[in-house]
Amino acid sequence: MTELIAKNNLIHIAVAGDVRAIERLLLAYYSPLPHHIEQEIPDRVRRHFDSEDILQHGFLQVFRDIACFEPRGEGRCLADKKLLTTARAASPNVA
């Protein structure tokens, strides 16, 4: 429970605009995401983008829009949305 409270405090500080808190928050959620995304990338998208490309774009969006951030899980939701957006951009026929 203490770890959850610490993460929630870090989120509130980051949302308030503290750059170091934003960096710590992104690093805290980073480690499971590359593997998760790599498993989900369709082959037709993999030719154009890898998991790092998708993560970089997603983290840039989080950094830019941190004031609107609402915690909804371990970061996979945003990663999945970013993957789908990237897949659609790479191939208009991707659902």
Side-chain angles (χ1 to χ4, degrees), residues 22-52:
I22 297 169
E23 290 170 353
R24 288 179 56 209
L25 185 62
L26 294 178
L27 287 172
Y29 283 97
Y30 177 81
S31 40
L33 293 177
H35 179 71
H36 170 73
I37 290 173
E38 192 63 37
Q39 293 178 328
E40 301 295 324
I41 298 175
D43 289 337
R44 63 186 167 270
V45 175
R46 193 179 309 274
R47 287 176 274 180
H48 305 283
F49 303 98
D50 64 15
S51 61
E52 289 296 322

Side-chain angles (χ1 to χ4, degrees), residues 3-4 7-8 11 25-34 36-37 55 59 69-80:
E3 184 179 332
L4 180 60
K7 270 191 180 177
N8 284 337
I11 289 169
L25 185 62
L26 294 178
L27 287 172
Y29 283 97
Y30 177 81
S31 40
L33 293 177
H36 170 73
I37 290 173
L55 278 174
F59 279 8
F69 179 76
E70 294 178 30
R72 294 188 184 137
E74 291 299 313
R76 288 187 176 183
C77 180
L78 176 62
D80 288 339

Side-chain angles (χ1 to χ4, degrees), residues 41 45 48-50 53-55 57-58 79-91 94:
I41 298 175
V45 175
H48 305 283
F49 303 98
D50 64 15
D53 295 326
I54 294 165
L55 278 174
H57 193 270
D80 288 339
K81 286 181 182 178
K82 194 51 59 185
L83 174 59
L84 183 58
T85 301
T86 303
R88 285 181 177 152
S91 175
V94 176

